[in-house]
Amino acid sequence: MFPAEWKSALDSRPCLPTRATRSPALFDRFKRRSFLQAVVAVAATTAFGCSDDETSSDAGEKYFPQSVCSGDPRPDSVVLWVRAVDPDNAGANTQVRLEVSTSESFSSVVLDQQFTAQAQFDHALKVKVTNLSARTTYYYRFTIDANGQKYSTVTGRTRTAPAAGDDVPVKFVFASCQDYIGRYYNAWQHLLQLNEDLDFVVFLGDYVYETTGDASFQSVDGRGIVFSEPEKALRQGTGLTAFYAANSLSNYRDLYKTLRTDKIIQQVHERYPFIITWDDHEFSDDCWGDVATYTDERTNEKQTERRRNAEQAFFEYIPMDHGASDAGAIDINAVVAQPTRIYRDFEFGRNLKLLVTDTRTYRPDHLIPEDAYPGKVAVPAEQLDMVLPTLPEAVQAQLQSDMFAYVNIDAEELAPYKQILTGVYVRQAVAAGLTPEEASVKAGTWVSGGLALLYVNQVLNAVNQARVAAGESAVPLIPAAGAPRGLAYAHMGKTGLFGIQGSRYVVVKPIFDLYAAIKYMGSAGASEGIFGNEQQAWLQESVQAENAWKIIVSSISLTSMVFKLSDKADVPDPTLRQDFYFNVDQWDGFPTKKQEFLKFLRDSQVKNALFISGDIHASFASVESGIPALTTPAISSGSIKELAGLAVIGAGFSTGSTVYQYIVTELDKSLKEANPGMAFVDGDAHGFVVLEVGGTEAKAAFHLIPGTEVARDYSLLQPSELTAKFTRRDFVIKDGAITSA
């Protein structure tokens, strides 16, 4: 970023120019890229000014390669972070000095103390500074003494929260999903251009991405991440499409270390305190607890040690407090040894209670297993009959139709059919990568008990085609007359043995909702226990605070994403003329819990409850069952429109098909039509949201740049070129409604 005013590089003061004040004369002599490389190599930068002491910052970046950051601001405390390493003695602990002041010149120092950045924590140091004044801007820097010379970080700036009861507006940014691979942080650069007077930044998860180039959603061109110990990583894919997923502690550390060498994100961290939660990619895509989903349950992916490695790296690199931490250096060993807890709350004066939740650590498995056999009955007749009387008559009639008929495949008279189905299953499972032995074990589990005739007879039809072609007689189909009725995974959109379709994505909404409700009742709510019991109790109590606004930070989006294809007569395949949830890894996958919690908010008369979310790489403003919800787009990760396009084409639909039209070309329109509470949707932009809350209303500004710009590094261009790419959409949230400003 190049400001309008440039300070001369030949300033008489004994320090180099700041990031905000670099000389145009120098710029004229060099090509932009060469100039920036020179700055990166030698600039000892101070974000807001130079120090008058004799500290040299000529090689400060050598000792502080990830710069500084701050987080978890409270009225009397904040957490300051640095990574301090002497590359000439990388195995040793590093002694650093921390100075904190209310002035940029450090003329009034409130803390001057020595600390140790320990090698066992990758030289990351987090210091909780206490006894601070409320809503006060503080400046801080770390210094190191090497070979008789002092080297300094840039000067960071942070701000404490207003005191309890202070009637002041609170302004902050919320953002998420900053994939580094082949992408640039143009959204963050625009935030720097705006120079907003923010109290803090909320980051909603996917701070890092655990893979080094997964072509299914990441760019394979441009900048990347190389693990220092690739032999300890998980190798994914084959041939030219192979990539790595972080596994060891060093792998996860490499993600943070590399990302935080980006100069744009460094400047954002230097300027604003962050409040951060995690989502899935800090550990593994679409994870639940310590279970990954890469193999779609072809194998057991419970990875406790890997999860622990991911958490340790997160705790090392993220400037967050940990409950009752005392003043001084935060003990990472103590944090890692404790049961995981990152949910916490913040109070910003009279107007804001911020409730930061964790929607990954305690959640159960997805309701539909990735390895679910499509024909397997998930809701047998005795369970379905219990809820039938509560459903509309038209729905009752449909559920009693032949489409929902099933048989007990273990019945003696059906033994020949079970043998055929088992053989087909084993062949398909082996083709999917299982050994014959593994496939036989899974077949024994899945090809048993109640199986839906909708699926069974489709398999038999395919078998009969092969038999007839070989001159053999066809096998009779199994009649539905007199058979019980139940819900199978095929009714919810599951078509294959292993995969995300019909399990985590593209799920038939009405059948899934019914299945979820029945399972919820049968498990006393455990099937959708996304928060876990302790976090839910904390949240239900905390959300009833007296602050004007109760903002719930959820890494996953509350806004329902539905494709209503049931009324699209031009969709040629009748099996696709249904209503689909796009993604049940987010709140749509917990429909009963979602409605239960929203009802709790309404019944408890919680005034001005508001959800803010990320994860889905799209912008939403909606009212969900009476509760407003805002979803920020990704900072840089592929937009939902981009990913939906890849998925639809991968499923065999051309760009000219009606399916592509409704799901990709008209994505925004389709989502809005299916969700009457949706006031705004943009599925193809990157950016962030600025949110300001006062006593009676909140104002949200979506700052958006087309997703197609993410591969272009605007830090090498004039600021006006980036500004011209951004648009802004403003909304007012008041009395449970969202209106355009």
Side-chain angles (χ1 to χ4, degrees), residues 328-514:
I330 294 175
D331 185 355
I332 301 297
N333 269 336
V335 173
V336 174
Q338 295 173 355
T340 301
R341 173 174 172 170
I342 66 166
Y343 63 86
R344 58 209 192 277
D345 59 87
F346 298 85
E347 190 165 315
F348 291 85
R350 181 187 300 178
N351 290 323
L352 176 59
K353 184 80 165 183
L354 190 75
L355 305 158
V356 181
T357 68
D358 176 359
T359 62
R360 286 291 168 185
T361 302
Y362 313 104
R363 65 159 58 188
D365 193 1
H366 303 93
L367 284 171
I368 302 175
E370 288 86 356
D371 67 339
Y373 185 47
K376 189 72 171 180
V377 171
V379 179
E382 56 269 23
Q383 292 181 0
L384 186 60
D385 290 344
M386 291 175 63
V387 300
L388 272 178
T390 68
L391 304 175
E393 291 185 3
V395 176
Q396 292 185 44
Q398 182 184 16
L399 293 174
Q400 290 300 300
S401 69
D402 288 354
M403 179 180 293
F404 295 90
Y406 72 92
V407 295
N408 179 6
I409 202 65
D410 294 323
E412 185 177 353
E413 65 274 16
L414 298 179
Y417 291 99
K418 180 174 182 176
Q419 183 178 5
I420 293 173
L421 294 169
T422 299
V424 171
Y425 182 101
V426 170
R427 288 195 296 274
Q428 291 178 339
V430 169
L434 272 64
T435 66
E437 294 76 16
E438 292 170 335
S440 295
V441 171
K442 278 192 172 287
T445 299
W446 287 111
V447 188
S448 62
L451 297 185
L453 293 180
L454 170 72
Y455 181 80
V456 168
N457 284 335
Q458 286 180 354
V459 174
L460 294 179
N461 274 325
V463 169
N464 283 338
Q465 290 179 12
R467 291 173 69 95
V468 170
E472 302 174 10
S473 59
V475 177
L477 302 184
I478 303 175
R485 269 50 175 167
L487 307 181
Y489 294 116
H491 297 126
M492 300 178 226
K494 193 75 162 61
T495 58
L497 301 188
F498 311 102
I500 62 175
Q501 181 179 338
S503 59
R504 304 198 306 271
Y505 295 86
V506 193
V507 171
V508 178
K509 180 185 185 301
I511 304 300
F512 180 81
D513 285 346
L514 180 58

Side-chain angles (χ1 to χ4, degrees), residues 486-643:
L487 307 181
Y489 294 116
H491 297 126
M492 300 178 226
K494 193 75 162 61
T495 58
L497 301 188
F498 311 102
I500 62 175
Q501 181 179 338
S503 59
R504 304 198 306 271
Y505 295 86
V506 193
V507 171
V508 178
K509 180 185 185 301
I511 304 300
F512 180 81
D513 285 346
L514 180 58
Y515 163 64
I518 293 172
K519 194 166 185 179
Y520 191 89
M521 288 187 292
S523 66
S527 59
E528 296 183 39
I530 187 170
F531 292 128
N533 293 334
E534 291 185 9
Q535 181 178 200
Q536 180 167 320
W538 161 82
L539 181 58
Q540 289 180 336
E541 178 182 358
S542 300
V543 80
Q544 300 185 66
E546 295 297 323
N547 307 72
W549 288 87
K550 277 69 65 174
I551 295 183
I552 301 165
V553 174
S554 168
S555 68
I556 55 173
S557 180
L558 189 78
T559 297
S560 191
M561 296 179 63
V562 177
F563 290 106
K564 189 175 179 61
L565 302 184
S566 56
D567 58 357
K568 307 299 184 186
D570 54 348
V571 172
D573 187 346
T575 63
L576 292 177
R577 288 188 219 125
Q578 304 190 70
D579 296 345
F580 294 95
Y581 281 129
F582 179 72
N583 175 9
V584 293
D585 184 62
Q586 64 171 31
W587 270 105
D588 280 342
F590 303 84
T592 323
K593 174 62 72 177
K594 172 181 173 178
Q595 292 305 321
E596 179 186 82
F597 185 67
L598 296 180
K599 183 178 184 298
F600 167 81
L601 295 177
R602 297 192 304 271
D603 291 350
S604 301
Q605 298 182 334
V606 176
K607 188 177 181 181
N608 291 333
L610 170 64
F611 272 79
I612 60 172
S613 308
D615 176 58
I616 199 62
H617 308 179
S619 304
F620 298 132
S622 70
V623 177
E624 304 290 315
S625 299
I627 307 300
L630 303 174
T631 300
T632 181
I635 287 292
S636 60
S637 306
S639 72
I640 196 65
K641 187 171 185 177
E642 175 188 344
L643 299 178

Side-chain angles (χ1 to χ4, degrees), residues 78-150:
V78 71
V79 175
L80 305 180
W81 180 96
V82 74
R83 179 171 179 263
V85 59
D86 183 348
D88 298 325
N89 193 11
N93 295 338
T94 308
Q95 303 303 313
V96 297
R97 173 188 178 192
L98 169 61
E99 298 169 274
V100 181
S101 174
T102 54
S103 65
E104 296 182 36
S105 63
F106 288 85
S107 59
S108 54
V109 175
V110 299
L111 178 72
D112 186 344
Q113 191 172 343
Q114 296 286 334
F115 294 96
T116 302
Q118 298 184 50
Q120 64 173 319
F121 303 132
D122 207 24
H123 297 95
L125 169 67
K126 296 197 293 189
V127 179
K128 183 175 181 179
V129 182
T130 60
N131 298 319
L132 301 178
S133 299
R135 204 168 208 195
T136 301
T137 297
Y138 288 92
Y139 302 87
Y140 63 98
R141 64 189 177 194
F142 294 85
T143 57
I144 185 174
D145 192 338
N147 302 317
Q149 177 68 51
K150 292 182 180 179

Side-chain angles (χ1 to χ4, degrees), residues 179-182 209-215 217-228 230 233-236 241-246 251 254-255 294:
D179 194 358
Y180 178 90
I181 306 294
Y209 279 69
E210 83 281 17
T211 50
T212 62
D214 182 347
F217 73 95
Q218 289 180 310
S219 172
V220 294
D221 298 317
R223 66 182 185 179
I225 292 177
V226 177
F227 289 142
S228 57
L234 301 178
R235 186 176 176 85
Q236 306 289 306
T241 62
F243 60 96
Y244 291 104
N251 295 159
D254 287 339
L255 300 176
Y294 294 149

Side-chain angles (χ1 to χ4, degrees), residues 668-740:
D668 294 357
K669 178 182 176 182
S670 295
L671 292 176
K672 201 168 184 179
E673 285 180 350
N675 185 344
M678 193 176 284
F680 172 64
V681 54
D682 187 324
D684 198 24
H686 294 134
F688 54 86
V689 181
V690 178
L691 184 63
E692 183 172 6
V693 298
T696 60
E697 67 178 21
K699 298 177 181 179
F702 287 77
H703 293 264
L704 306 172
I705 183 173
T708 52
E709 299 296 323
V710 73
R712 191 178 189 189
D713 185 359
Y714 277 90
S715 69
L716 306 179
L717 306 174
Q718 291 293 338
S720 60
E721 296 186 54
L722 177 60
T723 302
K725 294 294 183 180
F726 269 86
T727 58
R728 173 172 170 165
R729 291 293 304 271
D730 290 272
F731 298 90
V732 174
I733 304 96
K734 186 174 183 178
D735 298 329
I738 300 177
T739 56
S740 295

